[in-house]
Amino acid sequence: MGVEEQKRLLHDRGICVVIPTYNNEGTIDHVVHQVLQECGDVIVVNDGSTDHTGILLKKYPAITLVEYPKNQGKGYALKRGFRKALQQGFSYAITLDGDGQHYPEDIAKFLKANQEHPGALIIGSRNLEGIERSKGSDFANKFSNFWFYVQTGKRLADTQTGYRLYPLKKLHGLGLLTSRYEAELELLVFASWHGVSLVPIPINVYYPPKEKRVSHFRPVRDFSRISILNTLLCFLAVVYGCPLRICRFFGKYIRTFYALIFFVFFSLFIITPLVWFYVKVGKMTEQKKQHLHQLIQWISRFLMMKHGVPGTSFSYQVAENVSFDTPRIIICNHQSHLDLMCQLVFTPKIVFLTKDWVWNNLFYGFLIRHAEYYPVSEGLETLLPKLRSLVLRGYSIAVYPEGTRSRDCQIGRFHQGAFYLSEQLGIDLLPMCLYGTGKALPKGTYLLNKSPIYIQVDKPVTRDELKKVGDTMKQASWMRARYRKEYQDITNRLEQDA
């Protein structure tokens, strides 16, 4: 990834850099210069410096400078930097120190970790092997790690690192934040209690020779403050943190149990008997088939838009002048068992090509077989006459070009089947891009997570446009590249509020 692309991506994901500094005239010029090479959105908090730090910062009109006359401590500086970042519309802030300890090139690692773990607090874990440190500094880190484990039940190798990426909208206890070094431990503890994922990543660190180091750590006073804070946090862990953790642990199982009971009861005791009776009584006419499709759509809309899937919020956007009355090949990226219901929200006149286990499913197999969904295992050549008949009756055919659900939610390789069907049936493609179902119900698990779900319906791609691209193999490759860009744009936008 080039530097300019990295800057653009950081901005698109709502990520800025916050640098708290106090009397770092020997290093701040180099640090700010190097950070600006990596990120275009930089906030520097001058925490009442009495040396030439403030003068040096005036050289950089590209930064946002926050300064005040009296030194208040690192915790206060972070608080001011976070609030300024939120005012400017940022969702994440990467913090690094102004003393030159941290390598700005590692910002790329934080960006990658943010893409893989949106909404997480990313912790730069320093490799301290072979580095000469004071006994006090080494003890402080071990001391902090121990108490963090006591207070949260989680182990971290480096709770004292200042190189982190904070999800600003998930910071808890910011108003109560202490003003000095212990504030960084406090932020970690409150984030853990409230269920924010803590993700450590390896980073490099530079410690200058002892005679050149600038430290504002005051061993006796600061250790006393940290000890008092840890005593308070241990008490809060019992009365506040532990109950939150217990509720969160059981919350996922309660959500899943509710959804399962709702689904099983609704499908086995209401929908399936109703459909069986409807199908068996009287002749199966075209009108009755349409009513079955309308029933499927009603179920899907009810589940997705009336919180039938607890912990999720559903939204969508449809391109201007898109009509669902015209038969098309509908393609969509595939993430979860929930995908089908998201697409059915728009129209009842969709027929899906499914896997055998879906077609034979105990709960809804009877319904979808009579709604003329077909197993893809029959082969496209065998299915073509049936699909052509459906198209003539006004139905669109939904296909997942990836062929299988994505484990990491990224866009997989597109197969040619959907494009072959478009060619053989002489109908356009209608692209839908889906986000969030794979996070709400990941592949390989049956536990429901909290996640927004969003689906974007684009303008149809005509047969003429597809012919210009080339054969079906080129069409599949071209469409996948388009999906990858669109999905990245959607994730950049939505994960700012992850």
Side-chain angles (χ1 to χ4, degrees):
M1 183 188 302
V3 173
E4 291 306 314
E5 183 183 356
Q6 176 179 300
K7 287 183 178 181
R8 179 191 60 77
L9 193 50
L10 285 164
H11 183 79
D12 287 348
R13 294 186 67 81
I15 303 174
C16 68
V17 172
V18 172
I19 307 173
T21 182
Y22 172 62
N23 286 354
N24 293 128
E25 64 178 10
T27 56
I28 193 63
D29 191 9
H30 176 74
V31 169
V32 172
H33 176 77
Q34 291 299 112
V35 169
L36 284 171
Q37 304 304 307
E38 304 291 328
C39 178
D41 301 297
V42 180
I43 299 170
V44 181
V45 183
N46 182 10
D47 184 25
S49 297
T50 55
D51 61 1
H52 292 92
T53 297
I55 296 172
L56 292 170
L57 291 173
K58 294 292 194 298
K59 294 167 48 181
Y60 296 98
I63 68 172
T64 298
L65 181 60
V66 178
E67 55 184 348
Y68 37 88
K70 185 179 178 181
N71 175 249
Q72 301 287 340
K74 189 175 184 180
Y76 182 82
L78 287 173
K79 188 191 302 185
R80 289 290 298 269
F82 292 157
R83 286 177 174 167
K84 176 58 72 173
L86 284 167
Q87 288 173 7
Q88 294 184 343
F90 293 102
S91 298
Y92 301 95
I94 298 174
T95 60
L96 56 83
D97 296 338
D99 60 4
Q101 248 191 60
H102 303 133
Y103 289 86
E105 307 92 86
D106 283 341
I107 287 173
K109 295 181 181 179
F110 285 91
L111 171 59
K112 184 174 185 294
N114 173 256
Q115 291 176 298
E116 295 173 354
H117 307 278
L121 198 164
I122 313 297
I123 303 156
S125 188
R126 298 167 292 180
N127 180 7
L128 300 173
E129 290 184 15
I131 294 177
E132 185 182 359
R133 303 170 70 210
S134 67
K135 291 183 179 179
S137 178
D138 187 55
F139 173 76
N141 199 34
K142 292 178 180 177
F143 182 79
S144 177
N145 294 349
F146 170 78
W147 284 111
F148 177 78
Y149 174 70
V150 170
Q151 292 149 9
T152 66
K154 297 180 180 179
R155 295 190 184 277
L156 286 176
D158 191 1
T159 56
Q160 291 289 293
T161 176
Y163 210 170
R164 302 174 179 178
L165 181 147
Y166 289 96
L168 297 174
K169 298 176 184 179
K170 285 189 171 186
L171 291 183
H172 296 273
L174 195 59
L176 303 174
L177 195 65
T178 48
S179 61
R180 298 198 178 271
Y181 289 99
E182 64 273 18
E184 290 176 309
L185 174 62
E186 188 181 343
L187 285 168
L188 282 183
V189 171
F190 272 91
S192 177
W193 286 348
H194 285 270
V196 179
S197 297
L198 306 180
V199 179
I201 61 170
I203 58 166
N204 299 307
V205 65
Y206 168 72
Y207 277 96
K210 280 187 175 181
E211 63 275 10
K212 293 185 179 181
R213 294 181 191 175
V214 177
S215 175
H216 305 295
F217 186 77
R218 301 160 299 180
V220 175
R221 185 180 298 183
D222 287 330
F223 266 128
S224 298
R225 290 172 62 91
I226 291 172
S227 298
I228 293 171
L229 174 66
N230 278 315
T231 302
L232 177 61
L233 288 176
C234 285
F235 171 74
L236 289 175
V238 174
V239 300
Y240 181 72
C242 285
L244 277 179
R245 289 170 59 195
I246 292 170
C247 291
R248 191 167 58 255
F249 175 80
F250 285 107
K252 183 180 290 189
Y253 289 91
I254 292 171
R255 283 196 302 272
T256 304
F257 182 73
Y258 166 82
L260 180 62
I261 293 298
F262 184 88
F263 173 74
V264 171
F265 176 81
F266 203 64
S267 60
L268 274 184
F269 298 104
I270 298 179
I271 299 299
T272 299
L274 181 64
V275 171
W276 186 90
F277 183 80
Y278 186 70
V279 168
K280 295 298 182 181
V281 176
K283 187 179 178 181
M284 194 62 180
T285 64
E286 180 65 25
Q287 186 179 34
K288 289 182 74 171
K289 291 178 181 179
Q290 291 178 8
H291 288 164
L292 282 181
H293 282 276
Q294 289 167 357
L295 175 63
I296 294 173
Q297 187 198 21
W298 179 85
I299 295 169
S300 300
R301 290 184 66 88
F302 178 78
L303 290 173
M304 298 309 304
M305 305 184 76
K306 301 296 182 182
H307 306 293
V309 185
T312 66
S313 58
F314 179 76
S315 60
Y316 60 86
Q317 182 175 336
V318 180
E320 190 175 359
N321 297 326
V322 170
S323 169
F324 295 99
D325 295 330
T326 303
R328 299 186 179 95
I329 300 296
I330 296 176
I331 60 172
C332 187
N333 55 315
H334 199 13
Q335 297 187 353
S336 164
H337 295 305
L338 302 174
D339 297 352
L340 182 145
M341 291 189 297
C342 295
Q343 294 175 267
L344 281 164
V345 161
F346 302 107
T347 175
K349 305 207 78 174
I350 304 179
V351 168
F352 287 82
L353 299 185
T354 70
K355 292 188 175 181
D356 288 346
W357 73 265
V358 177
W359 207 67
N360 296 311
N361 189 272
L362 172 67
F363 297 108
Y364 46 78
F366 184 82
L367 172 60
I368 67 173
R369 286 194 297 273
H370 284 84
E372 297 178 279
Y373 291 18
Y374 292 110
V376 72
S377 61
E378 288 189 17
L380 293 183
E381 292 299 333
T382 303
L383 288 172
L384 265 174
K386 301 175 183 177
L387 299 181
R388 187 171 283 111
S389 172
L390 284 166
V391 168
L392 291 173
R393 288 157 52 197
Y395 288 92
S396 292
I397 313 299
V399 182
Y400 297 113
E402 295 164 291
T404 185
R405 287 175 290 146
S406 170
R407 188 171 292 277
D408 61 1
C409 297
Q410 296 303 308
I411 306 298
R413 183 173 71 89
F414 276 21
H415 300 283
Q416 300 176 55
F419 307 91
Y420 174 77
L421 286 177
S422 171
E423 182 180 87
Q424 294 298 310
L425 298 174
I427 54 178
D428 301 338
L429 286 179
L430 182 62
M432 295 183 179
C433 193
L434 189 59
Y435 172 92
T437 55
K439 299 179 186 296
L441 188 61
K443 185 176 182 178
T445 181
Y446 293 97
L447 291 177
L448 278 171
N449 299 314
K450 291 184 176 181
S451 176
I453 294 175
Y454 171 82
I455 186 166
Q456 184 167 300
V457 183
D458 292 333
K459 291 182 178 179
V461 182
T462 66
R463 287 297 314 147
D464 288 339
E465 290 175 291
L466 289 170
K467 287 177 184 177
K468 289 178 182 177
V469 173
D471 59 21
T472 55
M473 182 179 293
K474 290 181 180 178
Q475 291 170 18
S477 178
W478 170 73
M479 187 60 73
R480 186 203 178 207
R482 171 175 160 171
Y483 261 75
R484 290 182 67 181
K485 181 181 184 307
E486 185 168 308
Y487 186 74
Q488 183 67 71
D489 291 342
I490 291 171
T491 56
N492 288 343
R493 185 171 74 253
L494 294 184
E495 288 177 1
Q496 293 188 34
D497 295 314

